[in-house]
Amino acid sequence: MPRTLTAIPADRLMTVVTGILGTEWTPPAAPEWPLVLTNETADRELTLYPERKNARLVFVLAPADTDDFGRRRYAKYTPDLTGHDTIDAWLAEGDLDAIADALALILERLVEQPLPERTAHHDPLGAERENLAKQAQELAAHATYFAAGLIWSQPVGDDAQRLATLAQGLAHTATRVDELRGHKNPRR
Protein backbone atom coordinates (compact mmCIF):
# COMPACT_ATOMS: atom_id res chain seq x y z
CA MET A 1 0.00 0.00 0.00
CA PRO A 2 1.55 3.35 -1.01
CA ARG A 3 2.16 5.90 1.72
CA THR A 4 1.29 9.54 1.34
CA LEU A 5 4.03 12.06 0.65
CA THR A 6 3.39 13.74 3.99
CA ALA A 7 3.83 10.56 6.05
CA ILE A 8 7.11 9.43 4.52
CA PRO A 9 9.26 12.48 5.31
CA ALA A 10 7.96 12.88 8.85
CA ASP A 11 8.64 9.37 10.05
CA ARG A 12 12.07 9.12 8.37
CA LEU A 13 13.30 12.36 9.92
CA MET A 14 11.72 11.48 13.27
CA THR A 15 13.75 8.24 13.33
CA VAL A 16 17.01 10.12 12.75
CA VAL A 17 16.20 12.82 15.33
CA THR A 18 15.09 10.37 18.03
CA GLY A 19 18.29 8.40 17.42
CA ILE A 20 20.27 11.57 18.08
CA LEU A 21 18.31 12.82 21.09
CA GLY A 22 17.96 9.46 22.83
CA THR A 23 15.28 8.12 25.13
CA GLU A 24 14.86 11.30 27.19
CA TRP A 25 12.82 12.74 24.32
CA THR A 26 9.43 11.23 23.50
CA PRO A 27 8.40 11.31 19.85
CA PRO A 28 4.78 11.85 18.80
CA ALA A 29 2.62 8.75 18.45
CA ALA A 30 1.80 9.64 14.84
CA PRO A 31 4.60 11.24 12.83
CA GLU A 32 3.12 14.24 11.06
CA TRP A 33 4.26 17.79 10.48
CA PRO A 34 5.12 19.63 12.57
CA LEU A 35 6.87 16.96 14.61
CA VAL A 36 6.82 17.70 18.34
CA LEU A 37 9.08 15.72 20.68
CA THR A 38 8.81 16.22 24.43
CA ASN A 39 11.21 15.90 27.32
CA GLU A 40 9.20 15.65 30.54
CA THR A 41 12.28 15.79 32.78
CA ALA A 42 13.45 19.10 31.32
CA ASP A 43 9.85 20.30 30.73
CA ARG A 44 10.68 21.17 27.12
CA GLU A 45 9.38 20.41 23.68
CA LEU A 46 11.22 20.37 20.38
CA THR A 47 9.23 21.17 17.26
CA LEU A 48 10.66 20.51 13.82
CA TYR A 49 9.28 20.96 10.34
CA PRO A 50 10.44 21.52 6.78
CA GLU A 51 10.32 25.10 5.60
CA ARG A 52 9.51 24.41 1.97
CA LYS A 53 9.97 27.96 0.69
CA ASN A 54 13.64 28.04 1.74
CA ALA A 55 14.23 24.25 1.48
CA ARG A 56 15.47 23.88 5.05
CA LEU A 57 14.58 22.25 8.34
CA VAL A 58 13.50 24.42 11.26
CA PHE A 59 13.94 23.40 14.91
CA VAL A 60 12.16 25.23 17.75
CA LEU A 61 12.94 24.51 21.41
CA ALA A 62 10.41 25.82 23.92
CA PRO A 63 9.09 25.14 27.40
CA ALA A 64 6.39 22.47 27.29
CA ASP A 65 2.76 23.60 27.36
CA THR A 66 3.35 27.33 27.00
CA ASP A 67 2.75 29.91 24.31
CA ASP A 68 5.51 32.26 25.44
CA PHE A 69 7.33 33.11 22.20
CA GLY A 70 9.98 35.03 24.12
CA ARG A 71 11.25 31.80 25.71
CA ARG A 72 11.98 29.93 22.47
CA ARG A 73 15.25 29.04 20.79
CA TYR A 74 15.49 28.40 17.06
CA ALA A 75 17.89 26.53 14.78
CA LYS A 76 17.80 25.89 11.04
CA TYR A 77 19.51 23.39 8.79
CA THR A 78 19.69 23.70 5.01
CA PRO A 79 20.49 20.34 3.45
CA ASP A 80 22.15 19.73 0.08
CA LEU A 81 19.20 18.78 -2.16
CA THR A 82 21.38 17.62 -5.05
CA GLY A 83 19.41 15.03 -7.00
CA HIS A 84 16.07 16.04 -5.49
CA ASP A 85 13.57 18.64 -6.73
CA THR A 86 12.19 19.65 -3.33
CA ILE A 87 12.88 19.25 0.35
CA ASP A 88 9.90 16.86 0.47
CA ALA A 89 11.55 14.62 -2.12
CA TRP A 90 14.83 14.81 -0.19
CA LEU A 91 13.07 13.91 3.06
CA ALA A 92 11.30 11.02 1.33
CA GLU A 93 14.23 9.59 -0.60
CA GLY A 94 17.49 11.22 0.54
CA ASP A 95 20.19 9.70 2.71
CA LEU A 96 19.22 11.18 6.07
CA ASP A 97 21.86 9.14 7.88
CA ALA A 98 24.50 11.15 6.01
CA ILE A 99 23.40 14.33 7.83
CA ALA A 100 23.08 12.74 11.26
CA ASP A 101 26.38 14.21 12.48
CA ALA A 102 25.42 17.73 11.41
CA LEU A 103 21.96 17.39 12.97
CA ALA A 104 23.50 15.98 16.15
CA LEU A 105 25.68 19.07 16.50
CA ILE A 106 22.75 21.42 15.87
CA LEU A 107 20.40 19.59 18.22
CA GLU A 108 23.02 19.23 20.96
CA ARG A 109 23.70 22.96 20.95
CA LEU A 110 20.01 23.79 20.81
CA VAL A 111 18.84 21.55 23.67
CA GLU A 112 21.78 22.39 25.94
CA GLN A 113 21.21 26.15 25.78
CA PRO A 114 19.17 27.60 28.60
CA LEU A 115 15.89 29.08 27.50
CA PRO A 116 15.42 32.83 27.96
CA GLU A 117 13.79 33.89 31.21
CA ARG A 118 10.07 34.41 31.23
CA THR A 119 8.96 37.97 30.66
CA ALA A 120 5.81 39.01 32.42
CA HIS A 121 2.97 40.30 30.29
CA HIS A 122 1.14 42.91 32.27
CA ASP A 123 -1.31 43.58 29.52
CA PRO A 124 -3.67 41.02 28.00
CA LEU A 125 -2.89 42.38 24.52
CA GLY A 126 0.67 41.02 24.64
CA ALA A 127 -0.53 37.55 25.61
CA GLU A 128 -3.25 37.56 22.95
CA ARG A 129 -0.79 38.71 20.27
CA GLU A 130 1.54 35.85 21.19
CA ASN A 131 -1.37 33.45 20.98
CA LEU A 132 -2.32 34.93 17.60
CA ALA A 133 1.25 34.54 16.33
CA LYS A 134 1.36 30.90 17.41
CA GLN A 135 -1.96 30.18 15.72
CA ALA A 136 -0.79 31.93 12.54
CA GLN A 137 2.42 29.87 12.55
CA GLU A 138 0.48 26.64 12.95
CA LEU A 139 -1.97 27.65 10.22
CA ALA A 140 0.90 28.48 7.86
CA ALA A 141 2.58 25.13 8.52
CA HIS A 142 -0.65 23.24 7.81
CA ALA A 143 -1.37 25.38 4.73
CA THR A 144 2.03 24.43 3.32
CA TYR A 145 1.26 20.80 4.07
CA PHE A 146 -2.15 21.14 2.38
CA ALA A 147 -0.59 22.77 -0.70
CA ALA A 148 1.94 19.94 -0.99
CA GLY A 149 -0.93 17.45 -0.91
CA LEU A 150 -2.65 19.31 -3.73
CA ILE A 151 0.52 19.43 -5.82
CA TRP A 152 1.23 15.74 -5.31
CA SER A 153 -2.43 14.70 -5.82
CA GLN A 154 -2.75 13.34 -2.29
CA PRO A 155 -6.05 13.21 -0.36
CA VAL A 156 -6.60 16.66 1.14
CA GLY A 157 -10.07 16.53 2.73
CA ASP A 158 -8.84 16.04 6.29
CA ASP A 159 -6.17 18.69 5.81
CA ALA A 160 -8.82 21.13 4.56
CA GLN A 161 -10.97 20.47 7.65
CA ARG A 162 -7.95 21.07 9.90
CA LEU A 163 -7.20 24.33 8.05
CA ALA A 164 -10.80 25.47 8.49
CA THR A 165 -10.67 24.76 12.23
CA LEU A 166 -7.34 26.56 12.59
CA ALA A 167 -8.61 29.52 10.56
CA GLN A 168 -11.71 29.79 12.74
CA GLY A 169 -9.57 29.87 15.90
CA LEU A 170 -7.25 32.42 14.29
CA ALA A 171 -10.20 34.65 13.38
CA HIS A 172 -11.53 34.49 16.95
CA THR A 173 -8.15 35.44 18.45
CA ALA A 174 -7.64 38.19 15.84
CA THR A 175 -11.02 39.66 16.78
CA ARG A 176 -9.99 39.61 20.46
CA VAL A 177 -6.70 41.37 19.60
CA ASP A 178 -8.62 44.02 17.64
CA GLU A 179 -10.99 44.54 20.57
CA LEU A 180 -8.07 44.94 22.98
CA ARG A 181 -6.56 47.50 20.61
CA GLY A 182 -9.82 49.45 20.67
CA HIS A 183 -11.01 48.59 17.17
CA LYS A 184 -14.68 47.84 16.78
CA ASN A 185 -15.59 44.62 15.05
CA PRO A 186 -18.36 45.22 12.47
CA ARG A 187 -19.35 41.53 12.46
CA ARG A 188 -20.77 41.71 15.99
Side-chain angles (χ1 to χ4, degrees):
M1 176 161 91
R3 294 165 59 181
T4 64
L5 175 67
T6 55
I8 294 170
D11 63 0
R12 292 186 71 230
L13 184 60
M14 183 177 74
T15 300
V16 172
V17 170
T18 55
I20 293 168
L21 294 175
T23 57
E24 292 179 9
W25 290 86
T26 306
E32 62 181 49
W33 301 117
L35 284 172
V36 179
L37 291 88
T38 57
N39 182 327
E40 289 183 21
T41 305
D43 194 32
R44 293 184 178 187
E45 64 183 28
L46 176 68
T47 303
L48 54 138
Y49 59 90
E51 185 181 65
R52 290 170 175 94
K53 179 180 176 185
N54 295 310
R56 64 186 174 190
L57 300 173
V58 177
F59 302 89
V60 182
L61 183 69
D65 299 323
T66 184
D67 294 337
D68 193 348
F69 276 85
R71 298 202 60 217
R72 295 179 177 213
R73 296 266 186 225
Y74 296 87
K76 297 173 184 162
Y77 175 75
T78 305
D80 179 4
L81 299 182
T82 303
H84 303 282
D85 294 335
T86 64
I87 193 162
D88 287 312
W90 178 80
L91 284 165
E93 302 162 1
D95 183 5
L96 300 184
D97 291 331
I99 64 157
D101 289 340
L103 288 182
L105 182 62
I106 291 167
L107 291 170
E108 181 180 301
R109 288 180 179 170
L110 184 64
V111 300
E112 287 182 1
Q113 289 182 14
L115 293 174
E117 293 299 318
R118 178 177 299 271
T119 56
H121 289 287
H122 300 293
D123 66 325
L125 178 59
E128 287 296 329
R129 286 190 345 206
E130 282 187 15
N131 190 22
L132 184 62
K134 180 180 180 186
Q135 288 174 328
Q137 182 182 19
E138 185 177 2
L139 181 65
H142 283 286
T144 301
Y145 206 53
F146 175 76
L150 288 174
I151 291 168
W152 292 97
S153 300
Q154 299 295 322
V156 293
D158 289 343
D159 290 335
Q161 281 298 115
R162 178 73 177 139
L163 280 175
T165 302
L166 289 170
Q168 185 177 17
L170 183 71
H172 176 75
T173 305
T175 300
R176 176 75 177 130
V177 167
D178 285 347
E179 289 171 352
L180 289 169
R181 288 179 173 169
H183 300 289
K184 296 188 189 247
N185 187 350
R187 294 188 316 200
R188 287 193 175 188

